[in-house]
């Protein structure tokens, strides 16, 4: 089967489509014929050699498709089912992938749309759980308009949290549509947030990693009520928790998202699709950082819905 792989670190040109052996589902896993697989910022960080150092590497943590092999002990899926989920072995950008945690695809949702969700949702749900945010509290999210930020806004709003999100002016209306109050990032952030939340902010989540941890700590009054997903150095410097997946993942969120989507409480992100063979172009677009929404690789560009 075909899979995305790189055998040396570098720019998008090091990405190849190679033939590899089709994997098999182990105990508790399913194998899917992949219809769509998400692309994440970690993909180009890995490709550039900024993360794992082993070579060669395959890519892809999230995918949606049709089950074609069921591992021992699996009772929640059968061959032919439409499922989406996590490929923790990290090889979902391929024709087949083994999912270690999966859920049924809601009836009304396409393979492409649902493949865009697992990584951003898990990251957002994990960070909110680590923050311990509760209904009735006020949460500030720095970098609320991206894939992870947009998911965090919606999960928090669905829990009854008041969310103030930072975004560029062009995304303020978008943030309001997701249920957040929007403020601009940049100089004067503390004053702008205080103006709309004079009673204070209970907790803050840094998604953008743009160097605002001191302001977030100042606004909530304690480093313990702040979590960052993207500022590793700042976390060390200011005593803030850095959230990473290897400290326990909130995989269960994909079991719950179908209900939120079907009740209109979770809006699917915009998606831009690329054929699997065009993965290098997807990296170029993602690295430029100018596209709102999620990049998704598809195996069958003709029909992604059935
Ligand atoms: N630790 C983890 O487990 C984990 C997991 C997944 C992702 N991440 C990290 O989380 C970050 C976000 O990922 P993503 O997929 O959500 O990215 P994304 O969709 O590209 O979103 C990035 C957002 O950052 C916003 N932004 C840019 N400059 C900003 C600033 N100075 N202040 C506030 N916001 C700013 C942009 O908002 P505007 O367009 O409105 O300007 C954009 O919407 C990445 O660094 C990624 O590596 C961490």
């Amino acid at each position: 089967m075909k899979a995305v792989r790189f055998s040396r670190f570098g720019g998008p040109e090091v990405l190849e489509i190679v033939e590899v052996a089709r994997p098999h589902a182990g105990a508790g896993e399913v194998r899917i014929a992949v219809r769509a697989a998400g692309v994440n910022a970690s993909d180009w960080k890995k490709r550039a050699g900024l993360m794992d150092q082993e070579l060669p590497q395959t890519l892809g943590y999230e995918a949606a498709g049709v089950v074609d092999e069921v591992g021992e002990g699996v009772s929640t899926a059968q061959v032919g089912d439409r499922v989406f989920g996590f490929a923790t072995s990290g090889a979902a950008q391929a024709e087949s992938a083994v999912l270690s945690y999966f859920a049924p695809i809601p009836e009304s949702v396409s393979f492409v749309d649902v493949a865009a969700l697992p990584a951003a949702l898990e990251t957002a749900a994990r960070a909110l759980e680590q923050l311990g945010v509760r209904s009735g509290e006020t949460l500030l999210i720095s970098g609320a308009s991206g894939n992870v930020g947009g998911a965090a806004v919606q999960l928090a709003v669905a829990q009854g949290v008041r969310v103030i999100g930072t975004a560029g002016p062009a995304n303020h209306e978008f943030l309001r549509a997701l249920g957040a109050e929007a403020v601009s990032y940049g100089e004067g952030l503390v004053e702008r947030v205080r103006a709309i939340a004079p009673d204070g902010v209970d907790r803050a989540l840094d998604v953008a990693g743009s160097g605002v941890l001191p302001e977030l700590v100042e606004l909530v009054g304690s480093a313990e009520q702040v979590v960052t997903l993207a500022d590793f150095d700042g976390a060390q410097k200011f005593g803030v928790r850095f959230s990473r997946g290897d400290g326990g993942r909130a995989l269960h969120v994909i079991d719950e998202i179908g209900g939120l989507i079907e009740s209109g409480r979770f809006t699917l992100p915009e998606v831009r699709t690329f054929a699997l063979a065009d993965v290098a172009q997807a990296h170029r677009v993602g690295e430029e950082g100018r596209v709102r929404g999620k990049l998704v690789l598809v195996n069958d560009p003709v029909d992604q819905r059935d």
Side-chain angles (χ1 to χ4, degrees):
M1 68 157 191
K2 292 185 172 47
V4 172
R5 193 174 72 179
F6 57 88
S7 301
R8 59 191 169 94
F9 298 119
E13 71 284 352
V14 304
L15 294 164
E16 300 171 291
I17 303 294
V18 296
E19 280 294 328
V20 298
R22 203 171 292 277
H24 289 285
E29 299 174 333
V30 294
R31 187 180 69 191
I32 59 169
V34 174
R35 303 296 296 274
V39 176
N40 287 290
S42 57
D43 290 7
W44 44 88
K45 293 179 187 171
K46 282 168 170 269
R47 188 211 69 217
L50 303 175
M51 294 175 71
D52 324 315
Q53 289 305 303
E54 76 267 25
L55 289 171
Q57 282 186 43
T58 49
L59 289 171
Y61 285 120
E62 55 188 351
V66 178
V67 174
D68 65 4
E69 188 180 86
V70 176
E72 200 188 317
V74 172
S75 58
T76 52
Q78 297 177 0
V79 169
D81 285 356
R82 298 164 83 239
V83 299
F84 73 117
F86 300 95
T88 40
S89 62
Q93 293 169 11
E95 289 179 315
S96 282
V98 169
L99 300 184
S100 45
Y101 197 100
F102 49 90
I105 299 177
E107 186 94 348
S108 61
V109 184
S110 69
F111 290 113
V112 165
D113 285 338
V114 85
L117 296 178
L121 271 180
E122 187 281 326
T123 305
R126 172 182 9 112
L128 294 176
E129 284 170 17
Q130 287 169 342
L131 272 171
V133 68
R134 291 187 290 267
S135 176
E137 291 187 334
T138 300
L139 170 69
L140 173 62
I141 300 180
S142 173
S145 59
N147 291 309
V148 175
V153 167
Q154 297 188 82
L155 292 176
V157 168
Q159 281 176 47
V161 174
R162 177 189 179 193
V163 179
I164 299 171
T166 75
N171 282 325
H172 284 195
E173 200 46 55
F174 169 69
L175 273 194
R176 285 192 276 271
L178 299 185
E181 292 160 68
V183 294
S184 294
Y185 46 75
E187 206 174 316
L189 175 67
V190 170
E191 291 70 28
R192 282 192 295 281
V193 172
R194 284 198 175 131
I196 60 168
D199 295 334
V201 171
D202 298 297
R203 297 167 209 268
L205 172 60
D206 171 34
V207 183
S210 55
V212 292
L213 292 181
E215 286 93 329
L216 301 189
V217 172
E218 185 183 342
L219 279 161
V220 301
S222 154
E224 281 173 20
Q225 314 300 342
V226 181
V227 164
T228 179
L229 284 161
D231 187 353
F232 188 73
D233 293 342
Q236 314 260 340
K237 193 166 169 192
F238 301 109
V240 163
R241 273 172 296 169
F242 183 90
S243 174
R244 56 199 308 161
D246 53 12
R249 293 182 191 271
L251 302 177
H252 61 83
V253 67
I254 67 166
D255 300 318
E256 295 141 26
I257 199 64
L260 289 180
I261 295 170
E262 297 202 313
S263 63
R265 288 184 293 157
F266 191 94
T267 302
L268 295 162
E270 282 176 33
V271 170
R272 180 157 172 195
T273 58
F274 297 82
L276 190 73
D278 294 330
V279 60
Q281 183 57 14
H283 278 224
R284 286 186 193 100
V285 168
E287 274 179 295
E288 277 176 21
R290 301 205 185 280
V291 185
R292 186 172 80 204
K294 177 82 180 187
L295 308 176
V296 171
L297 302 176
V298 295
N299 273 324
D300 179 3
V302 178
D303 180 4
Q304 288 298 318
R305 261 187 195 274
D306 56 11

